[in-house]
Amino acid sequence: MEDGTSKSLCYPGSTDDDYDVRQWDVREGCEVRQILDRVADKWSLLVIALLDCQSLRFTQLRREIDGVSQRMLSVTLRQLERDGLVSRTVHPVVPPRVDYALTPLGRTLHETIKSLVTWTEKHQQEIAEARAAYDSRREMMEA
């Protein structure tokens, strides 16, 4: 480690058992990375957010999520159900009615997502300014 640098929670040599960046490894079979990839994709985030207050039918979800295909929504719901984040209830009526809802585990994830959205809203102006400054520097370097 260089002089003037310090170990942080992200430092691979950290002895802190609560957080190890190596858990995010991209090696095949890395569970943390697979879970993060699943729950952080845009369709999963939207499904989780929409199911926060109420259960919804497939067609209601599809109507609410702009740009999602029927196939992609089916795949997303299936994966979220497999991970224990969404429950699927089939009602024995004709035609069959299927409702999707967040499980208790899914609700805990939604709380985390809300924190991320709140952070984004709070800092969006700073991020916009940083992007504009970066773009200006890049344009000057390329000129």
Side-chain angles (χ1 to χ4, degrees):
M1 190 161 63
E2 294 180 26
D3 287 337
T5 60
S6 62
K7 290 183 180 181
S8 70
L9 292 176
C10 295
Y11 178 69
S14 175
T15 57
D16 187 342
D17 291 333
D18 292 338
Y19 182 83
D20 182 354
V21 74
R22 291 172 293 188
Q23 290 178 355
W24 295 19
D25 199 320
V26 295
R27 290 174 296 189
E28 187 175 329
C30 178
E31 289 296 317
V32 172
R33 181 58 185 251
Q34 290 175 5
I35 294 166
L36 287 172
D37 286 347
R38 169 88 33 79
V39 300
D41 78 68
K42 68 179 179 178
W43 303 127
S44 293
L45 289 172
L46 289 168
V47 167
I48 291 165
L50 286 168
L51 293 177
D52 176 47
C53 297
Q54 61 185 333
S55 65
L56 294 171
R57 295 175 70 180
F58 183 91
T59 53
Q60 293 171 304
L61 283 166
R62 184 149 182 238
R63 199 175 310 124
E64 292 293 325
I65 302 174
D66 188 38
V68 71
S69 68
Q70 182 171 335
R71 181 185 182 288
M72 195 67 236
L73 182 56
S74 288
V75 167
T76 299
L77 287 165
R78 201 172 307 119
Q79 290 173 339
L80 292 172
E81 182 182 6
R82 181 174 183 249
D83 289 340
L85 301 170
V86 167
S87 65
R88 179 179 185 264
T89 304
V90 180
H91 300 278
V93 295
V94 177
R97 190 178 105 215
V98 179
D99 291 321
Y100 294 92
L102 286 184
T103 64
L105 181 62
R107 282 194 289 281
T108 65
L109 177 57
H110 184 260
E111 289 302 313
T112 302
I113 293 167
K114 283 191 330 189
S115 297
L116 181 60
V117 171
T118 300
W119 180 90
T120 304
E121 289 171 343
K122 181 178 178 182
H123 297 285
Q124 65 185 337
Q125 184 60 38
E126 294 169 73
I127 293 169
E129 291 166 3
R131 287 176 176 174
Y134 176 89
D135 292 346
S136 292
R137 287 192 307 272
R138 292 280 298 173
E139 288 173 10
M140 289 175 49
M141 289 174 37
E142 292 174 358

